Amino acid sequence: MGAVAFREERQSLTLDNPLAVAELCSEMRFLSHESLRVVLLDTKQQLLKIATSSHGTLNESLAHPREIFKPVITHSAYSFILVHNHPSGDPSPSDADLRLTRRINEASRILQLHLLDHVIIGAPAPKRNSYFSFKEGGVIG
């Protein structure tokens, strides 16, 4: 009974800000390799599903657009959020992160899908957020 209640609570979760996304995926900061997840949302920005898109290396997530868009299309998600981790703990985006985000954002527009954000999960540290949001950073409009 507890598992059903947890699943129902998680599925009715509204993800309308980067902090909520970072908290939902906070366990990613403990991963030893980069991992990329696609958070699928309905029209009210409620969680439908979290799909793992790729597992990368120590410092790189090897993501291809087709692996990112496949769960979005398969599950008929209205919108989605990319989430990946930096095992180093520093959530600052790399040049590769910026290139991937811009590519996915451009492809999303063509496919008429809604990329809401790309959140990088890091570790808490003094004077630094434990996550980076491309939306808050102005990369995604």
Side-chain angles (χ1 to χ4, degrees):
M1 184 75 163
V4 171
F6 174 74
R7 203 169 36 245
E8 287 174 359
E9 176 186 319
R10 188 172 169 183
Q11 287 181 339
S12 66
L13 183 63
T14 300
L15 299 170
D16 56 1
N17 65 74
L19 180 58
V21 175
E23 288 174 352
L24 175 69
C25 297
S26 64
E27 84 286 350
M28 291 179 74
R29 72 176 180 240
F30 301 112
L31 299 175
S32 60
H33 289 76
E34 283 201 15
S35 180
L36 178 72
R37 296 180 184 172
V38 184
V39 178
L40 308 173
L41 305 171
D42 67 13
T43 57
K44 296 180 182 178
Q45 291 183 298
Q46 291 187 333
L47 179 65
L48 294 173
K49 182 177 179 64
I50 300 172
T52 299
S53 181
S54 74
H55 294 286
T57 63
L58 199 55
N59 64 347
E60 184 178 37
S61 180
L62 306 171
H64 193 279
R66 73 175 157 255
E67 280 83 31
I68 292 170
F69 290 120
K70 183 178 180 182
V72 178
I73 293 167
T74 301
H75 295 283
S76 299
Y78 176 77
S79 59
F80 67 103
I81 300 168
L82 295 179
V83 182
H84 85 275
N85 65 309
H86 280 178
S88 69
D90 181 0
S92 302
S94 68
D95 288 340
D97 295 335
L98 287 164
R99 283 192 304 273
L100 173 67
T101 303
R102 288 182 178 125
R103 262 177 69 201
I104 297 302
N105 195 33
E106 183 180 327
S108 296
R109 286 189 202 131
I110 293 168
L111 294 171
Q112 297 181 341
L113 300 171
H114 304 279
L115 172 62
L116 299 180
D117 203 348
H118 180 177
V119 176
I120 301 174
I121 305 294
K127 299 181 184 179
R128 181 183 81 200
N129 277 339
S130 61
Y131 70 90
F132 176 85
S133 161
F134 284 84
K135 184 174 185 175
E136 287 180 343
V139 177
I140 297 173

